[in-house]
Amino acid sequence: MKAFLVVSYEFVQSLLFALPRYRLLNAFKRLFLVLNGASIGRRVVFYPGVWIAPGRGLVVGDDVDFALGVVVSSGGGVDIGDRTLIGYRTQILSTNHRIPPGRGAVFGAGHDRKPVRIGCDVWIGAQCVILAGVTIGEGAVVAAGSVVSRDVDAYTVVGGVPAKVIKVRD
């Protein structure tokens, strides 16, 4: 039964989130996420192809923009502040597969869950990966293509793989 519910969620989400970003359609996308345990602010924009699972554990502020193809795994908790821009094909991952001790089987070893926190007025460029357990401070900028594996201080610009400080905003 659980597998049926998971696949049904994925099916409905894939149909709904394939729709364009008209205000009315964004309201339906928001409602779908709220019914699945998310807290979504006002005027949130979901471009087509956004993938958010499982929904619960997601808290999104007002005026957040999820660009085309953004993926969010919210099982470990994801909190996104107001006025945040999330670039094309970015991945925000609060869960990851667990590596078992020794030579144990990876398949079936379970998952590690760590919250991701993104402050207000943050700009995350295209094709970034934000890993579990990371906090990105208010006003930070993450350059396109970056992999963020450590916390980012407020008003800091980071970039690269792994992301490193480029400068601090004045």
Side-chain angles (χ1 to χ4, degrees), residues 46-59:
F46 301 98
Y47 280 66
V50 170
W51 186 263
I52 298 172
R56 71 182 180 282
L58 178 65
V59 177

Side-chain angles (χ1 to χ4, degrees), residues 91-151:
Q91 299 175 46
I92 300 171
L93 310 171
S94 68
T95 59
N96 202 353
H97 289 279
R98 181 174 294 135
I99 299 174
R103 294 183 181 219
V106 173
F107 190 89
H111 295 87
D112 289 324
R113 292 170 171 78
K114 296 178 186 171
V116 173
R117 292 184 175 82
I118 300 170
C120 297
D121 295 307
V122 171
W123 175 20
I124 300 172
Q127 296 186 343
C128 292
V129 178
I130 313 299
L131 296 175
V134 166
T135 296
I136 299 175
E138 179 179 351
V141 176
V142 179
S146 298
V147 176
V148 182
S149 58
R150 294 190 173 139
D151 291 352

Side-chain angles (χ1 to χ4, degrees), residues 13-24:
Q13 178 174 296
S14 65
L15 293 177
L16 184 59
F17 281 80
L19 297 171
R21 59 188 172 103
Y22 294 118
R23 183 178 295 160
L24 177 64

Side-chain angles (χ1 to χ4, degrees), residues 5-131:
L5 293 174
V6 169
V7 173
S8 297
Y9 173 92
E10 292 171 347
F11 177 70
V12 172
Q13 178 174 296
S14 65
L15 293 177
L16 184 59
F17 281 80
L19 297 171
R21 59 188 172 103
Y22 294 118
R23 183 178 295 160
L24 177 64
L25 297 177
N26 276 325
F28 286 124
K29 295 172 188 181
R30 178 186 183 278
L31 177 62
F32 174 79
L33 291 170
V34 167
L35 290 173
N36 284 285
S39 174
I40 309 294
R42 295 174 292 145
R43 297 175 305 277
V44 174
V45 175
F46 301 98
Y47 280 66
V50 170
W51 186 263
I52 298 172
R56 71 182 180 282
L58 178 65
V59 177
V60 178
D62 297 336
D63 302 306
V64 174
D65 191 277
F66 291 86
L68 182 88
V70 169
V71 173
V72 180
S73 74
S74 62
V78 174
D79 190 334
I80 301 171
D82 298 338
R83 300 171 307 280
T84 292
L85 303 173
I86 305 168
Y88 299 108
R89 293 179 178 76
T90 286
Q91 299 175 46
I92 300 171
L93 310 171
S94 68
T95 59
N96 202 353
H97 289 279
R98 181 174 294 135
I99 299 174
R103 294 183 181 219
V106 173
F107 190 89
H111 295 87
D112 289 324
R113 292 170 171 78
K114 296 178 186 171
V116 173
R117 292 184 175 82
I118 300 170
C120 297
D121 295 307
V122 171
W123 175 20
I124 300 172
Q127 296 186 343
C128 292
V129 178
I130 313 299
L131 296 175

